[in-house]
Amino acid sequence: MAIDKYMRERFFPHIWCPGCGHGTILNNMLRAVDELQLNQNEMVMVSGIGCSSRISGYVDFHSLHTLHGRALAFATGIKMSQPNLSVICPMGDGDALAIGGNHFIHACRRNMDITAIVMNNRIYGMTGGQYSPLSGSGITATTAPQKTIDREFDITSLSLASGATFVARTTAYHYREITKYIKEALQHPGFSVVEILSQCPTHFGRRNKLGDAPEMLKLYKQNTTRIGSEAKQNNPELIERGIFRQEIAPEYCAEYAELINRVQQG
Amino acid sequence: MAKPKVQGHQIKRSWCKGCGICVAFCPKEVLELDQEQKATPERASQCVGCRTCERMCPDLAIAIELEQDDDATN
Amino acid sequence: MTQRTEFIQGNEVCVNAALYAGLDFFAGYPITPSSEIAETMAKQLPRIGGKFLQMEDEISSICSIIGASLTGHKVMTATSGPGFSLMQETLGFAVMAEIPCVIVDVQRGGPSTGLPTHGSQGDVYQARWGTHGDHAIIALTASNHQDLFSMTVEAFNMAETYRTPVILLMDEITGHTREPVNLPEQGEIPIIGRLRTSVPEGVDYHPYLPREDGRLPMSDFGGKHRYNVTGLYHDMWGFPTTDPNVIHGLIHHLMDKIENHAHEITRYREYYLDDAHTVLISYGCSARTALHVVNSRRRRGEKLGLLELQSLWPFPAELVRAKCAHAHYILVVEMNMGQVVHEVKKAVHEPERVYLANRVDGEFITPTDVRGIMRLIHGRGV
């Protein structure tokens, strides 16, 4: 495969459960990197803690496996200190939006050229299936044996409100879109958020009687639609996929370089 | 565009965890899980080289080899 | 010597010294009484092409400096007690992943919000044991601006030498006091730079394999060697492992690289210890008071001496034991409920001769406070 060279093959088979969507995300993210012919020595992958975070160990980039929720904070230091590097932050939903929520919104606001990928499986998988801020209400989890009463975040709305300049969403079923949106995000000169709905058959699917991995993927096909589609107008419950925002705004590192210029000339 | 000639399915058996995604989504029903729950191209001749299995495989265990393969599909 | 003398705050001295040591990346979050460090960095760093980041909290501040250290920069953050508490998890990451960085804690009264604008030395044990799990740590301190300059530079040097986070324990009093300081010329104080690997591209590089001298050459993120950095127990390439032999080796390495070099790390000043019957032990702002007491009593012919500690962790137990060997009694002067005093008791042969002179009401400990305790020890009442 063309993506072999980006993988640390000695660590495969990977740690993820059978049918975990995270593997499909890794698969198609590497295709985006390959299509852009990015230089591995200039790629940094920064992850937090959880199932999602193990992705950084499998890619042959500079890889930093940090603390729960803190991936973007570490990434900010890397990018700010060495703006020529391409920085990708894959995160889980609890990682990015519960413990890491504050870093997430501030990274969106700052608009530093970092690509955040939220692998949203609506559950804490690594710790055994506790509900997350993305689970939403009516979900069975190990910490919600009588079903959740919590409302969920909408990651794309949150990202848009916080000022991210590229925001997209797709699912592990729509693999072509994974590659396409990550490719767009990597090329976008600003903070990018790509939310990818990712199935967790082990903890989310099993407890909520959604079937096995193929069944869960079929639900992504049924329950989602392109942004602004007719289907959405007929059925507001459908989750929209696509690019929600793609606009150019002052990028933080470029602005700081300007500031240095100003100070040194002034 | 002419149908690409498929040379074969390269399946890393030790990576495959038998989730069945490739089996479920192959449009030509090429793949099956064998007795060891590993993906196998049971009806390889029906393969049209769409690479759905390769791209959806969460174990990164499948590669489709096409003739004059330049891997330039998206 | 063409030294430049300035009349500035301790917090500004810290910035000057950090820049002298080669710092070019700082991230922080506003907190009293350390904010002047961030403010001065924000002003100074762009002038030299360095980077200043105001982050969303202290957690992200320490995370981002670790990221910048990995790309090859000399980095620092500065905070006070509450922010230092928030940093503890990431401090442990820097210990585990062996990332050089300097963390300044300008101590204020605690616990909790405590006394934001008043001095304290209550974070000595937090510096040692604030992060979870077994680990070794280096913590330096200083009582006056000239020493603060040196100790700040030393903090950067030790961070690079031992590939570890170094804590600089300042306090509100040192941070906000203005006094003259001689700013040394470049070259006067040796600077230790990043030790980078000479392993060429394409050849297996081991980021976590110590050389014979114990040092671990680094490779910048963005450079020719792609490796992994994690807070998990890891092998010599930086990849997670649960191999008992590797785990055993790593925790011992992390402890030994500091504890076995305690004699190289130890920094102190001594005053009149040769014939002292009474040995005062102090550090940071309290050492100013202790020195005043010793000087004034010496003028009256009393045999008092002072051991001023400038490195608190690893605790210089051997030094303390040796310097106190002939003391009739030992008085630890510090602004907390007793922290270093416990270490001194553990270090000396006769712990029952160790006393504490402290003050914890937010006011700077005075010579009168110390003399009062001495009168009590001598059974003369207050």
Side-chain angles (χ1 to χ4, degrees):
Chain A
M1 277 193 285
I3 58 172
D4 288 352
K5 68 169 176 173
Y6 302 109
M7 291 157 62
R8 288 166 170 157
E9 296 202 355
R10 63 188 181 282
F11 299 120
F12 285 75
H14 57 53
I15 196 175
W16 296 311
C17 299
C20 172
H22 291 4
T24 306
I25 296 171
L26 169 63
N27 186 334
N28 292 283
M29 179 186 65
L30 292 179
R31 288 166 206 273
V33 172
D34 183 53
E35 284 175 26
L36 293 171
Q37 289 293 298
L38 298 173
N39 178 349
Q40 282 157 273
N41 279 350
E42 291 173 3
M43 302 284 300
V44 184
M45 187 171 276
V46 188
S47 62
I49 291 291
C51 296
S52 64
S53 73
R54 293 310 187 95
I55 196 169
S56 62
Y58 299 123
V59 295
D60 191 9
F61 306 149
H62 302 281
S63 57
L64 179 58
H65 176 224
T66 69
L67 299 168
H68 198 27
R70 316 296 172 212
L72 285 168
F74 282 87
T76 300
I78 290 174
K79 184 69 183 179
M80 179 76 171
S81 62
Q82 221 60 45
N84 63 309
L85 300 178
S86 280
V87 183
I88 308 179
C89 274
M91 296 170 284
D93 45 303
D95 193 32
L97 291 144
I99 191 165
N102 198 33
H103 308 311
F104 185 84
I105 58 173
H106 284 275
C108 290
R109 172 184 64 81
R110 220 173 264 125
N111 197 36
M112 201 176 275
D113 185 5
I114 293 169
T115 300
I117 299 170
V118 184
M119 301 154 79
N120 177 9
N121 58 12
R122 303 172 64 195
I123 203 87
Y124 289 91
M126 187 69 90
T127 45
Q130 299 80 15
Y131 72 92
S132 91
L134 271 298
S135 296
S137 60
I139 294 301
T140 303
T142 52
T143 46
Q146 293 88 20
K147 294 194 189 299
T148 47
I149 54 171
D150 293 49
R151 300 173 70 203
E152 76 271 32
F153 270 130
D154 177 333
I155 297 178
T156 55
S157 301
L158 181 71
S159 307
L160 293 167
S162 306
T165 51
F166 180 95
V167 179
R169 175 163 59 210
T170 187
T171 83
Y173 173 80
H174 301 88
Y175 60 86
R176 285 192 183 87
E177 292 177 2
I178 297 176
T179 302
K180 184 166 177 264
Y181 297 154
I182 293 179
K183 210 169 136 182
E184 295 268 5
L186 284 168
Q187 290 175 291
H188 176 73
F191 190 74
S192 316
V193 179
V194 182
E195 178 191 2
I196 305 171
L197 306 182
S198 179
Q199 74 277 7
C200 174
T202 303
H203 291 298
F204 194 87
R206 191 163 49 91
R207 288 203 177 81
N208 290 287
K209 302 191 169 47
L210 298 178
D212 58 9
E215 291 303 314
M216 292 181 80
L217 284 164
K218 284 173 195 161
L219 288 176
Y220 287 147
K221 188 185 174 190
Q222 289 163 23
N223 298 342
T224 68
T225 182
R226 303 284 308 164
I227 293 174
S229 68
E230 202 177 308
K232 174 74 180 175
Q233 282 157 25
N234 296 333
N235 180 6
E237 295 292 301
L238 292 177
I239 298 166
E240 288 177 299
R241 306 187 323 272
I243 296 174
F244 291 78
R245 180 187 285 160
Q246 188 170 20
E247 64 184 38
I248 301 299
E251 193 275 331
Y252 197 91
C253 296
E255 291 294 297
Y256 199 87
E258 267 303 298
L259 183 151
I260 289 176
N261 268 339
R262 221 164 53 228
V263 169
Q264 290 184 338
Q265 283 163 14
Chain B
M1 213 172 84
K3 178 181 149 184
K5 187 118 190 286
V6 179
Q7 281 196 327
H9 293 67
Q10 214 185 69
I11 297 177
K12 291 176 175 148
R13 289 181 61 83
S14 65
W15 292 18
C16 172
K17 292 181 181 138
C19 66
I21 289 175
C22 57
V23 177
F25 293 101
C26 173
K28 297 293 175 187
E29 298 180 342
V30 170
L31 293 139
E32 293 290 344
L33 295 184
D34 66 15
Q35 285 179 337
E36 293 175 337
Q37 295 294 298
K38 303 287 182 187
T40 184
E42 197 62 34
R43 291 168 286 277
S45 60
Q46 295 180 28
C47 176
V48 291
C50 71
R51 293 187 196 273
T52 299
C53 56
E54 181 181 316
R55 298 285 296 271
M56 287 189 84
C57 177
D59 298 325
L60 294 91
I62 308 177
I64 300 294
E65 290 176 321
L66 301 178
E67 251 175 32
Q68 282 125 28
D69 196 347
D70 59 358
D71 263 305
T73 52
N74 181 19
Chain C
M1 226 179 274
T2 53
Q3 283 176 332
R4 193 157 50 95
T5 301
E6 295 219 12
F7 188 75
I8 52 178
Q9 276 191 349
N11 283 343
E12 293 169 289
V13 173
C14 178
V15 173
N16 273 290
L19 294 170
Y20 184 94
L23 168 131
D24 63 355
F25 190 99
F26 177 95
Y29 185 80
I31 185 167
T32 304
S34 80
S35 294
E36 295 84 1
I37 295 179
E39 290 165 0
T40 314
M41 285 289 184
K43 194 172 168 187
Q44 299 284 359
L45 274 169
R47 292 181 182 167
I48 60 160
K51 310 280 172 67
F52 167 86
L53 261 181
Q54 181 168 317
M55 293 299 286
E56 55 270 20
D57 55 23
E58 288 87 352
I59 299 173
S60 48
S61 297
I62 184 169
C63 291
S64 67
I65 66 164
I66 290 172
S69 183
L70 275 167
T71 67
H73 296 265
K74 284 197 175 181
V75 301
M76 177 174 118
T77 184
T79 187
S80 187
F84 192 46
S85 295
L86 288 176
M87 290 181 181
Q88 293 300 329
E89 184 196 17
T90 315
L91 176 63
F93 182 90
V95 169
M96 183 59 122
E98 304 189 66
I99 313 290
C101 57
V102 175
I103 297 127
V104 182
D105 174 13
V106 187
Q107 298 166 91
R108 68 191 221 188
S112 189
T113 315
L115 283 165
T117 57
H118 293 66
S120 161
Q121 295 178 307
D123 299 349
V124 175
Y125 274 143
Q126 191 188 15
R128 179 64 190 90
W129 293 115
T131 197
H132 59 277
D134 285 319
H135 63 283
I137 199 86
I138 299 175
L140 306 178
T141 186
S143 64
N144 61 73
H145 286 13
Q146 207 58 54
D147 287 353
L148 177 60
F149 194 102
S150 313
M151 286 304 126
T152 306
V153 175
E154 294 269 28
F156 281 91
N157 285 350
M158 289 183 192
E160 295 296 335
T161 302
Y162 302 105
R163 236 186 107 165
T164 191
V166 175
I167 296 160
L168 183 64
L169 277 178
M170 290 175 60
D171 50 69
E172 189 275 336
I173 293 158
T174 314
H176 283 161
T177 296
R178 285 178 190 276
E179 67 178 3
V181 58
N182 293 324
L183 301 177
E185 292 289 311
Q186 279 302 327
E188 273 178 49
I189 305 178
I191 304 297
I192 293 172
R194 179 69 48 97
L195 178 67
R196 289 185 170 84
T197 180
S198 55
V199 173
E201 186 163 13
V203 177
D204 202 5
Y205 159 66
H206 304 100
Y208 292 102
L209 182 66
R211 299 195 309 199
E212 273 184 24
D213 63 0
R215 294 189 69 186
L216 295 90
M218 296 184 75
S219 179
D220 298 343
F221 265 36
K224 59 199 173 190
H225 298 292
R226 300 186 297 274
Y227 59 98
N228 192 55
V229 175
T230 177
L232 288 166
Y233 274 92
H234 47 270
D235 60 23
M236 64 177 120
W237 293 275
F239 290 104
T241 183
T242 50
D243 180 333
N245 290 322
V246 178
I247 294 167
H248 180 92
L250 179 52
I251 183 63
H252 280 85
H253 159 72
L254 292 176
M255 300 295 291
D256 292 351
K257 73 173 183 178
I258 309 283
E259 299 291 344
N260 290 353
H261 293 88
H263 57 288
E264 291 166 17
I265 294 164
T266 295
R267 299 286 185 279
Y268 66 99
R269 285 188 181 282
E270 62 171 279
Y271 304 89
Y272 315 109
L273 283 184
D274 289 342
D275 61 346
H277 293 165
T278 301
V279 173
L280 273 60
I281 297 180
S282 192
Y283 56 94
C285 62
S286 301
R288 298 172 82 106
T289 302
L291 182 59
H292 183 89
V293 171
V294 168
N295 279 332
S296 61
R297 292 280 165 132
R298 275 280 165 182
R299 280 196 290 272
R300 286 161 43 178
E302 292 179 35
K303 292 194 170 174
L304 264 71
L306 170 66
L307 174 61
E308 181 191 339
L309 301 178
Q310 295 175 308
S311 61
L312 296 178
W313 305 113
F315 190 75
E318 280 178 35
L319 173 82
V320 167
R321 187 157 49 245
K323 297 294 180 189
C324 295
H326 305 293
H328 296 176
Y329 74 93
I330 300 143
L331 188 60
V332 178
V333 185
E334 54 183 339
M335 284 178 58
N336 52 46
M337 293 297 286
Q339 299 197 12
V340 163
V341 68
H342 295 302
E343 298 305 311
V344 172
K345 282 183 187 241
K346 279 192 269 180
V348 300
H349 292 298
E350 294 175 279
E352 63 278 9
R353 292 191 185 180
V354 179
Y355 299 88
L356 170 67
N358 67 345
R359 184 158 184 171
V360 290
D361 62 354
E363 295 299 313
F364 189 17
I365 191 165
T366 64
T368 309
D369 298 328
V370 178
R371 284 192 291 262
I373 300 291
M374 287 167 66
R375 270 197 296 276
L376 277 176
I377 295 166
H378 290 136
R380 282 187 256 143
V382 182

